[in-house]
Amino acid sequence: MVVRAWTSVDIHPGATIGAGLFIDHAIGGGHRETAEVGVDVTIYQGVTLGGTSLEPGKRHPTVGTG
């Protein structure tokens, strides 16, 4: 909660984040529960890795390495 207030980025504890993630101008981003982000990835301002499905299972995008 403190990190979210400080950075304005909401990363769900269940998200898989690889080493070397760089969030450029992080205001307003979000990474949801089943999102996966590979190694050495840059995510730009306002990007949300989220979904709207109510179906169980993987509902959020996967971003590969690099």
Side-chain angles (χ1 to χ4, degrees):
M1 185 72 158
V2 172
V3 173
R4 180 177 179 222
W6 183 56
T7 65
S8 296
V9 174
D10 181 18
I11 299 177
H12 191 282
T16 302
I17 307 294
L21 173 65
F22 177 74
I23 302 176
D24 187 37
H25 297 287
I27 302 298
H31 311 305
R32 304 300 182 236
E33 181 179 14
T34 59
E36 298 176 24
V37 179
V39 177
D40 295 327
V41 172
T42 299
I43 296 179
Y44 293 98
Q45 181 177 6
V47 172
T48 297
L49 301 177
T52 58
S53 174
L54 298 177
E55 297 296 319
K58 183 155 174 51
R59 302 178 315 274
H60 304 102
T62 298
V63 178
T65 295

